[in-house]
Amino acid sequence: MHIKVLQGDITKLHVDAIVNAANSSLLGGGGVDGAIHRAAGKELLEECRELHGCKTGQCKMTKGYNLPAKYVIHTVGPVWNGGTDGEAELLSCCYRNSIQCAIEHECKSIAFPAISTGIYGYPKEQAAEIAISTIIDSTKGQADSDFEVWLVAFDEETERLYHNAMLQYS
Ligand code: AR6
């Protein structure tokens, strides 16, 4: 398993699956969710309507339509509420369940945005540590050593926090 950190726009990536930081309606929104729906085209919303929402920490998969990625894994991160509402475990579930879903669909690569750290207000440093530690844990013992996980930072600070967390956990 390889973890790659990069700064950029997740909608441009040629990977098997990109993860969407969605809301529980799965009917689109702002931030990375808005960018993914704009780039994928209206068929994505049509497929999302059939899914009847998603619970926090869970995920649901669709096709990627006009995106270079084959699939979109829509997950719903927790809204930050001070940290005593189970936010850390729920955020960890988003990463774990999305990786599981990608592996079940024989994906060789998955790219994540920094789930919950925008509109949902999760502190960026804590979120970066959860992302890295969960990805390392959930890919342990995977037979496929070529599986790639890309962490996509939209801003420089997030990129730096990922590099720091990588040093700490690997
Ligand atoms: N590529 C990569 N990362 C991006 C992109 C992009 N094109 N655009 C934004 N980011 P957010 P959340 C980063 O707010 O906090 C939506 O309305 C962004 O800088 O998109 O989980 C949903 O519908 C930040 O680091 O997601 C929900 O209602 C990260 O993606 C709500 O926002 C996540 O920020 C979810 O909030």
Side-chain angles (χ1 to χ4, degrees):
M1 192 269 301
H2 306 279
I3 300 182
K4 294 184 181 182
V5 173
L6 70 151
Q7 200 187 338
D9 179 353
I10 202 167
T11 66
K12 309 274 192 240
L13 298 184
H14 292 257
V15 286
D16 290 333
I18 62 169
V19 175
N20 181 17
N23 59 62
S24 57
S25 77
L26 298 186
L27 298 179
V32 70
D33 192 6
I36 288 172
H37 275 272
R38 276 192 301 279
K42 63 175 174 25
E43 286 165 295
L44 177 61
L45 184 58
E46 284 162 20
E47 187 177 353
C48 283
R49 282 191 213 286
E50 307 296 317
L51 299 176
H52 306 294
C54 181
K55 290 192 178 136
T56 305
Q58 304 295 307
C59 66
K60 290 190 178 175
M61 184 184 245
T62 63
K63 292 187 275 228
Y65 298 100
N66 296 335
L67 291 163
K70 191 169 170 196
Y71 299 113
V72 180
I73 298 173
H74 305 264
T75 190
V76 183
V79 177
W80 180 255
N81 192 24
T84 54
D85 240 1
E87 292 96 325
E89 182 50 28
L90 288 166
L91 185 60
S92 186
C93 282
C94 290
Y95 286 94
R96 203 162 39 239
N97 288 328
S98 299
I99 286 173
Q100 192 58 44
C101 175
I103 290 170
E104 279 167 17
H105 288 82
E106 295 178 354
C107 294
K108 296 274 187 204
S109 52
I110 181 172
F112 284 97
I115 301 165
S116 284
T117 66
I119 293 163
Y120 281 180
Y122 208 108
K124 291 180 181 188
E125 184 172 2
Q126 292 176 49
E129 287 170 4
I130 288 170
I132 302 281
S133 59
T134 307
I135 289 165
I136 291 172
D137 276 359
S138 10
T139 49
K140 259 188 203 144
Q142 283 302 325
D144 187 354
S145 60
D146 290 336
F147 189 70
E148 286 181 5
V149 182
W150 299 27
L151 286 168
V152 185
F154 206 46
D155 55 273
E156 259 173 51
E157 185 194 1
T158 301
E159 187 186 21
R160 182 179 53 76
L161 291 169
Y162 280 145
H163 284 301
N164 289 348
M166 293 267 280
L167 291 174
Q168 208 176 317
Y169 286 97
S170 48

